[in-house]
Amino acid sequence: GENVEQHPSTLSVQEGDSAVIKCTYSDSASNYFPWYKQELGKRPQLIIDIRSNVGEKKDQRIAVTLNKTAKHFSLHITETQPEDSAVYFCAASTSWGKFQFGAGTQVVVTP
Amino acid sequence: NAGVTQTPKFQVLKTGQSMTLQCAQDMNHEYMSWYRQDPGMGLRLIHYSVGAGITDQGEVPNGYNVSRSTTEDFPLRLLSAAPSQTSVYFCASRGRSGVYGYTFGSGTRLTVV
């Protein structure tokens, strides 16, 4: 089955700097890669996703890139703000298959 | 449109007790899943369903049962609670088209003593 590794497990950044979280996956059949943000005590919420026929997708300050050959994808947050502090999860799946989540990255944005 | 509704929000059980975590969605989603979340372990899939009458096991199914008699409901049953089942449980659903990502319920925090 699919295996997703996520790095780093914790990430501290100064407000205004960029943050990058990287994930690798094992199943070459995976074609859908969502990212979730989970604030303390809340449910995970989808923030951005990318499909395998696209190399990059951007939504305001967040962007995701996908390298199918290397089987890795990354989340980029620019101009970080305190409200970006949360745990971020990546996931991989086939279109109709089970989602495999990474272990999560705790992002702390310090003023 | 309430999304995904989970009940209860909090529950304390004694070892050996059984209970059912309820999950309902009003988005007509075909796919529903149950995840448990433990510190440092991410989200681990317990059971999932691709439609009414169809369920399958995830990576940590032992000690849990599910059924899907309707599109809307996907209850999770703990057969004989154990302290190792202390966790936060999330139900999630998604459709076959449009946004493929899961919509999560607000979670159930379960403690087994």
Side-chain angles (χ1 to χ4, degrees), chain A residues 10 15-16 26 37 45 57 61 65 68 71 75 84 94 96-97 100 102:
Chain A
T10 58
E15 183 177 357
S26 61
K37 176 183 180 181
Q45 294 202 307
K57 184 176 179 181
R61 294 187 297 108
T65 59
K68 287 196 310 182
K71 294 183 190 170
L75 178 72
D84 294 329
T94 57
W96 313 124
Q100 183 67 45

Side-chain angles (χ1 to χ4, degrees), chain B residues 33-90:
Chain B
S33 294
W34 276 101
Y35 290 89
R36 61 176 288 174
Q37 185 174 35
D38 303 295
M41 301 289 289
L43 293 154
R44 293 187 292 169
L45 182 64
I46 305 171
H47 285 286
Y48 73 107
S49 169
V50 299
I54 306 171
T55 64
D56 201 356
Q57 296 181 348
E59 59 183 300
V60 289
N62 292 340
Y64 308 95
N65 272 356
V66 292
S67 60
R68 184 99 179 268
S69 57
T70 66
T71 300
E72 294 77 21
D73 300 298
F74 191 43
L76 178 72
R77 281 181 287 277
L78 278 71
L79 308 174
S80 178
S84 61
Q85 293 179 304
T86 294
S87 187
V88 179
Y89 292 84
F90 287 102

Side-chain angles (χ1 to χ4, degrees), chain B residues 25 27-32 49-52 54 68 71 93-97:
Chain B
Q25 52 92 9
M27 299 173 284
N28 203 31
H29 283 170
E30 293 86 352
Y31 290 78
M32 297 187 75
S49 169
V50 299
I54 306 171
R68 184 99 179 268
T71 300
S93 73
R94 66 184 181 108
R96 286 178 181 258
S97 61

